[in-house]
Amino acid sequence: MTTGRFAPTPSGMLHVGNLRTALLAWLAARSSDNGRGRFRLRIDDLDPAARDREVARRQLNDLATLGIDHDGAIEYQSERFDRYDAAIGQLGGAGLTYPCWCSRAEVQAASMAPHEDGWPEGAYPGTCADLDTAGRNRRAAETGRPPALRLRAGGVTSTIDDAVHGRFTGIVDDFVLRRADGVAAYNLAVVVDDDDAGVDQVVRGDDLLASTPRQAHLARLLGVTVPRYVHVPLVTGLGGERLAKRGGATTLGELEALGVTPPQVLAHLGRSLGMDPGDETSLAVDLLTKFDLTRLPRSPWSVNPTDWAV
Ligand code: GLU
């Protein structure tokens, strides 16, 4: 049975681009398996700076307003550190981790050229990979910092299947599993979370495509299912700029203040996903029979949601 999910980071209110991804993820899941597909919600609050329960509550409220319902309990990454530790322990036990003292600036300076030969942007060049005990002690003393923990991936290639982008291959660098501050890295958490929730269909923005071969590789190492992926082109402003969570009228609340109702927002989102929403759309479920993933536009959606107020 298909299980999809949406996993917002509570760093600000959801803008129409986030809402569109959520709607698409919900439609893709709920339209699967003759309407029996499941849909989970998760709050990606790994980062202490984005651990805001009030923002999360308001995000969830906006999803509910659009009729994006869910199965099971809502998971919070901030409550799942023991699960991440277990996965890191499994990898460590297999000799696949090593400590790294490099600062962000050092990694950037030494990083592999982006997009060259399939390396993801900011790929780690392996500076700390082969330190012996003396070398590790020296780095620890030099930096005075606790180390991050990296995966020993050895530059393998990893291929994923994506409903929008087709087969996508990337080289897996020795990416971070646990940050120096002790917080699990997103690439690790997302694999553990999706597997624990039984998620096998991941719909999200294509800004995350470049990191997906890393996650698929990790899933294979941990012996868990690699989900099917749908990486959707981002929503941009009319000038091609990325929609920000702050600034401009792009959230449900801001649009409502301009007189644009949630059903009208839903109709615009539906149209942007290749559907003819008609006049009767008030909740996500009203779009379900009209949904066809193969009609999803393949290019970014440029929009100024303020124009919806007439
Ligand atoms: N939490 C991420 C975001 O808000 C999405 C992660 C994912 O879908 O895997 O951009």
Side-chain angles (χ1 to χ4, degrees):
M1 179 109 65
T2 298
T3 302
R5 51 73 154 178
F6 182 63
T9 302
S11 55
M13 291 307 293
L14 300 173
H15 59 56
V16 293
N18 307 129
L19 294 171
R20 179 184 190 240
T21 304
L23 176 64
L24 176 61
W26 185 91
L27 288 166
R30 292 287 193 224
S31 63
S32 300
D33 306 312
N34 296 320
R36 286 179 301 124
R38 293 170 60 79
F39 191 68
R40 303 291 309 259
L41 288 178
R42 181 177 80 229
I43 298 294
D44 279 1
D45 60 352
L46 266 186
D47 198 335
R51 221 169 274 167
D52 189 328
R53 281 295 162 109
E54 176 55 19
V55 172
R57 191 192 63 75
R58 288 161 64 199
Q59 290 181 327
L60 294 168
N61 200 43
D62 282 357
L63 296 175
T65 299
L66 297 181
I68 297 175
D69 64 354
H70 64 96
D71 299 303
I74 296 168
E75 301 286 352
Y76 289 79
Q77 287 188 325
S78 57
E79 294 173 355
R80 296 179 40 77
F81 284 15
D82 55 334
R83 297 292 302 135
Y84 309 143
D85 286 345
I88 290 170
Q90 185 183 336
L91 296 164
L96 291 172
T97 64
Y98 65 85
C100 165
W101 285 267
C102 295
S103 67
R104 191 179 290 252
E106 282 168 336
V107 173
Q108 257 164 17
S111 163
M112 330 286 286
H115 307 309
E116 235 174 62
D117 305 328
W119 288 98
E121 195 166 341
Y124 183 65
T127 319
C128 291
D130 299 315
L131 293 177
D132 56 14
T133 306
R136 287 181 180 176
N137 290 341
R138 184 174 41 76
R139 287 292 281 157
E142 264 169 21
T143 63
R145 300 189 280 270
L149 202 64
R150 290 186 179 272
L151 178 74
R152 198 178 285 284
V156 296
T157 58
S158 167
T159 299
I160 57 133
D161 277 313
D162 187 277
V164 176
H165 297 265
R167 277 170 75 79
F168 179 82
T169 300
I171 303 177
V172 182
D173 66 331
D174 288 358
F175 62 88
V176 171
L177 299 171
R178 187 191 283 132
R179 305 177 345 186
D181 63 2
V183 176
Y186 160 74
N187 281 318
L188 182 277
V190 69
V191 172
V192 173
D193 292 339
D194 283 340
D195 181 58
D196 281 354
V199 167
D200 59 1
Q201 182 186 64
V202 168
V203 178
R204 60 188 181 188
D206 67 4
D207 52 331
L208 293 166
L209 179 65
S211 220
T212 304
R214 290 171 167 145
Q215 294 163 25
H217 179 63
L218 199 51
R220 292 181 194 111
L221 289 177
L222 290 169
V224 306
T225 308
V226 179
R228 282 168 286 131
Y229 292 103
V230 184
H231 282 95
V232 249
L234 289 180
V235 177
T236 68
L238 293 180
E241 73 281 6
R242 243 179 112 149
L243 285 187
K245 279 186 181 159
R246 297 185 187 85
T250 60
T251 69
L252 214 50
E254 288 164 346
L255 288 163
E256 274 195 274
L258 294 180
V260 186
T261 65
Q264 286 169 335
V265 172
L266 206 52
H268 283 286
L269 297 179
R271 231 169 270 124
S272 83
L273 295 172
M275 287 173 273
D276 176 9
D279 298 331
E280 306 281 286
T281 304
S282 62
L283 291 171
V285 71
D286 301 320
L287 294 171
L288 206 47
T289 55
K290 301 174 177 164
F291 177 67
D292 179 357
L293 186 59
T294 63
R295 296 192 36 201
L296 180 69
R298 303 290 152 122
S299 47
W301 182 40
S302 302
V303 66
N304 179 7
T306 308
D307 292 344
W308 298 344
V310 280

